[in-house]
Amino acid sequence: MDRIGIDARFYGPEGTGIGRYVEKLLENLELIDQKNEYFVFLRTSNFHLYNPKNPNFTKIKADARWYSVKEQVIMPAILVKEKLDLVHFPHFNVPLLYPGKFVVTIHDLTKSNFGSSAASTKIAPVYLTKQNIYKLTLRQAVTRAKIVFTPSQYVKTQLVTNMKVDSKKIAVTPEGADEFYEPQLSPSEGKIKEVFGKYSVKSPYVIFVGNTYPYKNIKVLLESLAQIPTDLKFVCVSPRNSFLDRVIREAEELGVRSRLITPGFVPDEELKVLLNQALCFVFPSLSEGFGLPGLEAMGVGCPVIAAKATSLPEVYADAAIYFDPRDPKELVRKINSLTKEPKIRNNMVALGYQQVRKYSWKKMAEETLGVYNQVLEQNK
């Protein structure tokens, strides 16, 4: 029995997309692996969220926030103490001093490609320092890792091209949207009224789900909204922070603030209702390693209009309508086509259901476990 560590400090909603990835990886590893022993490292804030059902899974407190000095200081000692045969870091923030064998997941290279527009509100000197630390940490992670996981061929190609990582060292393990696949979803009028009332939503509306970092390109959606009839609203489901405040300011400048609805965090069961009732999900992002929110929208019958950029055409294939993310007029035309031609919308809903079924968290976990076993066998 091998001892495998999972750095699960991102586990749960605070970790956003990486948190979902870690949650689903653990959930499915518990179901499929009865052989190996797992040690799951969590912070105080999310320790209570993970309660393993498989007796081979043990949770351990490692209270160090990601990207912190404390992470670099205490994580190596905590990991070494457990005498692990392999550790999986689900993000590039691998402690520089950890001496053991590990694999790492690189979800995207957005910080490399977009710099300060990725997710920073820092002044220039602070930003440059953080960017240099990021580059060092990323470089050592992909260099020292036995295997690098990516969610798409697009990210793999970026690693090979931009960082000269050996393609044989990279395993593409696409994510899934199983919990959002509900082709029979038909919320009652009462449920719709309840959810709409709670979040002050009115139909018709388009919807976006995710962080509102600058590279998410929400401004192009606001600019298109200004050119569309005034009854169409925009529901932006995103954490309340300085990035969302900036979106609100841009909406005010464009004269569409009254049509912008910002419900903050929405639990999955209520989010499914908002997605199902939307005209469409709009994903104008300039950089995505996979694009999970669009797949989740497809799973509950919401057609997707996506940027023709990065990984999105690879992941969505023919199940999305694409537009130039720099051209609000083209986005206007795409949105109007769904409004004026119900047949197009119905066709996209059907294609979306077919596309989302191609992806599975269980399959992702099975492929990941296969890599674990392959790496572990190399030293036996």
Side-chain angles (χ1 to χ4, degrees), residues 91-245:
H91 196 36
F92 69 84
N93 58 321
V94 178
L96 293 166
L97 298 179
Y98 178 62
K101 184 188 296 185
F102 67 87
V103 294
V104 65
T105 302
I106 304 299
H107 297 271
D108 58 62
L109 290 179
T110 298
K111 286 192 178 192
S112 297
N113 297 337
F114 284 84
S116 61
S117 69
S120 180
T121 56
K122 306 295 183 184
I123 57 175
V126 176
Y127 159 70
L128 289 172
T129 300
K130 290 186 71 173
Q131 187 72 354
N132 287 332
I133 293 171
Y134 157 74
K135 289 178 180 178
L136 170 65
T137 309
L138 175 64
R139 171 61 66 184
Q140 69 91 25
V142 298
T143 300
R144 294 170 53 216
K146 296 298 180 182
I147 292 289
V148 178
F149 294 106
T150 67
S152 64
Q153 188 68 40
Y154 170 77
V155 180
K156 175 178 178 176
T157 300
Q158 280 200 311
L159 285 169
V160 172
T161 304
N162 301 342
M163 299 189 70
K164 309 306 178 189
V165 180
D166 185 348
S167 63
K168 294 176 184 175
K169 186 178 176 176
I170 303 172
V172 178
T173 53
E175 298 170 6
D178 314 52
E179 68 275 34
F180 272 77
Y181 179 62
E182 293 190 32
Q184 305 306 317
L185 180 65
S186 182
S188 67
E189 288 298 321
K191 184 65 177 176
I192 295 169
K193 188 175 180 181
E194 175 192 332
V195 173
F196 277 22
K198 181 176 179 179
Y199 298 109
S200 302
V201 172
K202 293 180 181 178
S203 289
Y205 61 89
V206 298
I207 190 168
F208 166 85
V209 181
N211 284 302
T212 50
Y213 300 141
Y215 76 88
K216 293 291 186 176
N217 196 30
I218 302 302
K219 189 172 183 180
V220 76
L221 208 166
L222 296 174
E223 290 171 340
S224 69
L225 202 65
Q227 302 174 42
I228 291 173
T230 55
D231 62 337
L232 186 70
K233 307 290 193 296
F234 169 34
V235 177
C236 184
V237 181
S238 184
R240 295 186 183 279
N241 54 30
S242 59
F243 297 105
L244 184 60
D245 291 342

